[in-house]
Amino acid sequence: MPYLVKQSHRARPVRGPIPPDPRLPRACVIGAGSSGLAAAKALYTARVPFDCFERGSVIGGNWVYDNPNGLSACYETLEINTSGPRMAFSDFPMPADYPPYARHDQVAAYFNAYVDHFGFRDQITFHTTVTDVARGAGDSWLVSTTGPDGDHVREYDAVLVANGHHWDPRWPNPPYPGGFDGEQIHAHDYRSGAQLAGRDVVVVGSGNSALDIAVEAGTVARSANLSQRRGQWVLRKFALGRPADQVALPGWLPWWATALRLRIGALLSGNVAKLGLPQPHHKPGQSHPVQSEGIRDALRAGRVVPRPAIERLDGDHVVFADGSRVPADLIVWATGYQVSFPFLDPALVSAKDNDLPLWKRTIHPDLPGLFFIGLVQPVGAVMPLAQAQGEWVAQLLIGRYAPPPDSEIRRQMRADHERNKRQFYSSVRHTMEVDFDHYLWDLRRELRRGFDRAKAAARSRA
């Protein structure tokens, strides 16, 4: 069955502390955003000793408006693009009175309720930055931190990297020719329409943030232009009166079934190229879905003017590839993010062009004990996938799960990576793309197989 969390799925609250088992491997979780919280909860309930370090003073990561950690890209009108029952953790549904697509403040409140429901808030160390992660003796890891109590180096058997991948802005490289007299910001630094009010704005990009910012600019700016190099299929959030993503398919179906669902969604939504945006050169399902309820009305009303790619910057104007030029005093570059790990030596781990092949988007076969949580771009929400990854790693650490041979891990990793390249057009947007339901189904299948391998190994030792 497709993933859909119901109110009846809510787990019982944890009423008292769960003591860690000192015989188990010791772990470190980096970050207390949605993925770090999922990992921490999995370790906590499995009794794995762990530390979770968060550089800010609150949990919730990217969903916290003006997060004190300085890394959040949350803006005033941000809401989820996945409906609540498809975004929620499997054992903790979003409140029944939430709208189908919750606001950022509701999502942040949901994460706080999640932490308190399962009772692991005191396991998170705030105001503490991880500055370095390096190999120690054997397969151990040395984690360096700095915080209110000074600098420390601690040794762990496992490190779960959950620092997110929407915090390190990617700017145009190389920069566009010419010079610009006005202000330039990345979408990461956009917070509200107050930054756009009364200005001549050019928004550059074709993802969800670009469309959201352009729609807001069409309401408050003096002029609003949306520049896109490549067209995208823009899906509506609702279909036949219900959240469109809840028309889902079983995870065991192949990718073509999901691609077909996305194509139907695009057909029902209508092609925004008819409103002046570039015609997509790929089929729906060959790119990460883009959703917007407001961009069509903004284009039809002329509040937002579609433009092709930028050719050059010219003082207080922007010149486009079709020769048109518009006055501008603010450019918002909604040009995506780089995948980066400031605490890892690039010689050890790097993601050039956002490309970091991993087994099941979690395990690097050359780096035992180092795991990546939430480093995935699903056709759906990250949170349930991060939960599944965290639970998988927890089962590995307690010895209930045994992985397949190294050769099989590498074979699967290569096959998955090549399949991903075939399914999506070549772009830094698609290096981590997975099919939400299929990924969960596949990981559950691997978990069952690993349980059987562990049992067989235990019997052979008996």
Side-chain angles (χ1 to χ4, degrees), residues 146-224:
T146 184
D149 60 346
D151 299 339
H152 297 277
V153 179
R154 300 174 177 88
E155 188 172 19
Y156 297 95
D157 301 292
V159 175
L160 286 69
V161 177
N163 68 318
H165 56 274
H166 288 129
W167 62 270
D168 188 0
R170 186 174 70 243
W171 294 78
N173 187 24
Y176 285 93
F180 185 62
D181 297 337
E183 181 184 5
Q184 302 182 59
I185 66 171
H186 193 275
H188 184 268
D189 298 314
Y190 170 73
R191 292 293 175 269
S192 74
Q195 294 167 268
L196 314 173
R199 307 183 72 172
D200 294 313
V201 179
V202 174
V203 179
V204 183
S206 55
N208 294 308
S209 296
L211 300 190
D212 285 352
I213 297 170
V215 169
E216 185 68 13
T219 301
V220 301
R222 182 166 51 233
S223 65

Side-chain angles (χ1 to χ4, degrees), residues 95-383:
D97 60 353
Y98 272 23
Y101 295 95
R103 302 185 311 270
H104 62 83
D105 58 304
Q106 293 173 316
V107 177
Y110 167 78
F111 289 138
N112 274 283
Y114 175 77
V115 170
D116 292 336
H117 186 84
F118 292 104
F120 62 95
R121 187 178 294 271
D122 61 355
Q123 304 296 310
I124 303 169
T125 304
F126 293 99
H127 301 291
T128 301
T129 301
V130 173
T131 57
D132 188 66
V133 175
R135 283 179 155 178
D139 288 336
S140 70
W141 291 90
L142 301 177
V143 177
S144 302
T145 61
T146 184
D149 60 346
D151 299 339
H152 297 277
V153 179
R154 300 174 177 88
E155 188 172 19
Y156 297 95
D157 301 292
V159 175
L160 286 69
V161 177
N163 68 318
H165 56 274
H166 288 129
W167 62 270
D168 188 0
R170 186 174 70 243
W171 294 78
N173 187 24
Y176 285 93
F180 185 62
D181 297 337
E183 181 184 5
Q184 302 182 59
I185 66 171
H186 193 275
H188 184 268
D189 298 314
Y190 170 73
R191 292 293 175 269
S192 74
Q195 294 167 268
L196 314 173
R199 307 183 72 172
D200 294 313
V201 179
V202 174
V203 179
V204 183
S206 55
N208 294 308
S209 296
L211 300 190
D212 285 352
I213 297 170
V215 169
E216 185 68 13
T219 301
V220 301
R222 182 166 51 233
S223 65
N225 294 271
L226 175 60
S227 170
Q228 296 184 340
R229 287 185 306 150
R230 181 174 187 135
Q232 296 292 334
W233 300 97
V234 181
L235 307 182
R236 293 186 179 275
K237 290 186 173 182
F238 293 90
L240 304 176
R242 62 180 295 185
D245 68 342
Q246 293 183 21
V247 183
L249 300 169
W252 50 265
L253 285 173
W255 169 252
W256 64 260
T258 295
L260 178 60
R261 177 176 66 84
L262 293 175
R263 290 173 192 174
I264 293 172
L267 180 64
L268 293 175
S269 297
N271 189 355
V272 290
K274 295 179 180 179
L275 300 175
L277 292 177
Q279 174 64 38
H281 296 303
H282 59 278
K283 297 177 181 177
Q286 291 182 320
S287 70
H288 187 77
V290 178
Q291 293 176 297
S292 175
E293 286 296 302
I295 192 62
R296 290 172 176 82
D297 288 343
L299 291 168
R300 288 193 188 99
R303 296 193 301 271
V304 174
V305 179
R307 301 288 180 180
I310 292 176
E311 180 182 274
R312 70 181 188 276
L313 308 179
D314 188 16
D316 57 358
H317 283 71
V318 174
V319 182
F320 300 98
D322 62 356
S324 62
R325 54 190 286 127
V326 299
D329 57 16
L330 174 64
I331 300 176
V332 182
W333 300 100
T335 45
Y337 294 87
Q338 302 177 105
V339 175
S340 58
F341 314 101
F343 42 80
L344 286 168
D345 187 334
L348 185 69
V349 176
S350 64
K352 183 181 179 182
D353 296 327
N354 287 2
D355 194 12
L356 178 60
L358 298 167
W359 183 46
K360 311 295 185 188
R361 298 300 320 149
T362 307
I363 292 176
H364 195 307
D366 294 330
L367 300 171
L370 186 65
F371 305 95
F372 294 85
I373 309 298
L375 189 60
V376 60
Q377 189 78 0
V379 181
V382 172
M383 292 71 175

